[in-house]
């Protein structure tokens, strides 16, 4: 019941094309090289810069980050050169910048834990978030966020399916409405008989 977004589908095709088929293959340097992206160590803030014209980008990762932190930040920053135009340094709209950051957060989940790999572990019900965190080399918080995202999308699809099933079970209405025959209520019968009697009496008087 899980439906992949176009970005997820693109990532899956890209990973399979470059033989990135398991969590152990998700090496950030291999991915960066395949996309013509340079990873640079930095003592400054984590960021990415890119040149749309020459199709090249640089992702700066701080020296003091742990292995897991570097991976998570890389998959976040990777979204910008792949999905966004221009440079964030030249953006004057705070709302537009925030929108790009939200998109990068979603991209981070897809890229660091692609569904076609995660699905291989879904039979392990107990401690699944911890297992994914260990296998994909991400924090437990990121693994839990990805699982909640997957569960929410499955539940949404199931709700739509249940709604469609209910609609299909409803009887098809007739093209024409059936009009019930009018019947004089019991309490009005005496009034009707009285009116008919007076009418007949008037007609006999005229004759």
């Amino acid at each position: 019941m899980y439906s992949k977004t176009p970005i997820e589908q693109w990532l899956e095709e890209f990973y399979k094309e470059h033989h990135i088929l398991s969590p152990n293959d998700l090496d950030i340097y291999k991915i960066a090289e395949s996309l013509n992206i340079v990873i640079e160590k930095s003592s400054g803030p984590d960021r990415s810069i890119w040149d749309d014209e020459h199709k090249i980008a640089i992702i700066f990762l701080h020296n003091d980050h742990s292995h897991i932190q570097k991976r998570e930040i890389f998959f976040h920053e990777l979204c910008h050169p792949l999905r966004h135009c221009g440079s964030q340094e030249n953006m004057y709209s705070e709302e537009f910048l925030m929108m790009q950051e939200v998109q990068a957060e979603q991209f981070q989940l897809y890229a660091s834990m692609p569904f076609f790999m995660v699905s291989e572990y879904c039979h392990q019900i107990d401690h699944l978030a911890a297992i994914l965190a260990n296998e994909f080399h991400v924090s437990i918080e990121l693994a839990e966020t990805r699982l909640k995202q997957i569960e929410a999308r499955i539940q949404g699809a199931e709700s739509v399916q249940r709604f469609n099933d209910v609609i299909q079970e409803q009887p098809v209405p007739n093209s024409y409405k059936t009009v019930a025959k009018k019947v004089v209520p019991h309490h009005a019968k005496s009034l009707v008989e009285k009116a008919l009697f007076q009418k007949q009496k008037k007609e006999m008087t005229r004759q």
Side-chain angles (χ1 to χ4, degrees), residues 131-150:
I131 293 172
L132 294 180
N134 181 66
E135 292 292 322
F136 288 88
H137 303 283
V138 297
S139 65
I140 186 71
E141 293 79 13
L142 196 71
E144 288 174 345
T145 301
R146 178 61 164 139
L147 279 179
K148 288 178 182 177
Q149 181 194 57
I150 292 173

Side-chain angles (χ1 to χ4, degrees), residues 15 26 71 75 107-114 136 138 142:
Y15 282 156
L26 289 169
R71 286 175 58 80
F75 286 117
F107 184 93
Q108 178 191 49
L109 296 174
Y110 302 148
S112 62
M113 288 173 282
F136 288 88
V138 297
L142 196 71

